[in-house]
Amino acid sequence: KSRVYDKYGSREFSGIAYQCSSSSYHHVQDESYIVEILVEGRPAKPGEIGEIVITDLNNYSVPLIRYRIGDMAYAVDQIKCECGRSQTLIGNIVGRTQALVACSNGVWLPGTFFAHFFKDFDWCIKHYQVFQAELGELTLRIVPNGTFSEETSVSIIEMLSKFTGEGTKISINIVDSIPLLSTGKRTPVISNVRMDFQALNSSSIRKS
């Protein structure tokens, strides 16, 4: 059996950071990138979730300086990893900023939260998509199987309201399918609510 390691990258930058065999942290390719994790415009403290900002040191044609790529990640202590590499470390990648859902209680739920939430309903839901058009409202697009019922809808809304706050209006829209993107993937969370994440307190982002 082969062990699987995580690579963090993007179309803009290619491979940015990689896991090693000694920890779950990601090693930044410091010779190519300066990676910052920022909260309210300052460097995130270890354990905080912040927005990833990247400067490309090799792109002379289209320089990307402190580029806000749209991802969130945990900041970690910059101790030397047991593997011996001395590169900058970043923690788990939480998700995309556009996959953060704003709740009436001031909490922002990352897309990974919903992945864990809906695992408890995999017996009655084939696919789901969380859609937020504006602050204070949330629509759950659900492709059900034969065991899904009205009681299930009520249960989902009651359980989710504990995290979103009672002021968030949650509705369920039963659909036949959730279209795939051109990449062949489904987008589980879509939020049209835009906010300056550098002004967002990381303590308001729920850890999934």
Side-chain angles (χ1 to χ4, degrees), residues 120-191:
D120 292 336
F121 296 94
D122 58 4
W123 55 273
C124 63
I125 294 177
K126 293 180 180 178
H127 304 294
Y128 74 89
Q129 185 178 74
V130 180
F131 177 73
Q132 183 172 45
E134 57 186 64
L135 188 65
E137 296 184 1
L138 204 61
T139 299
L140 307 179
R141 297 167 177 165
I142 290 177
V143 180
N145 66 24
T147 58
F148 192 90
S149 64
E150 182 62 31
E151 289 76 14
T152 307
S153 293
V154 173
S155 178
I156 289 175
I157 292 175
E158 288 180 348
M159 292 178 63
L160 191 55
S161 293
K162 295 178 181 178
F163 301 98
T164 63
E166 295 183 357
T168 300
K169 180 182 177 182
I170 303 174
S171 59
I172 291 180
N173 185 13
I174 301 299
V175 296
D176 294 328
S177 64
I178 296 174
L180 297 173
L181 301 176
S182 59
T183 58
K185 300 178 181 179
R186 289 184 179 87
T187 302
V189 180
I190 300 174
S191 177

Side-chain angles (χ1 to χ4, degrees), residues 76-97:
V76 298
D77 286 316
Q78 295 302 310
I79 58 176
K80 188 172 182 179
C81 182
E82 293 182 2
C83 72
R85 298 177 178 89
S86 58
Q87 293 139 310
T88 302
L89 300 175
I90 59 176
N92 289 336
I93 314 301
V94 175
R96 303 287 293 172
T97 53

Side-chain angles (χ1 to χ4, degrees), residues 42 44 95 110 191 193:
R42 60 164 174 81
S191 177
V193 176

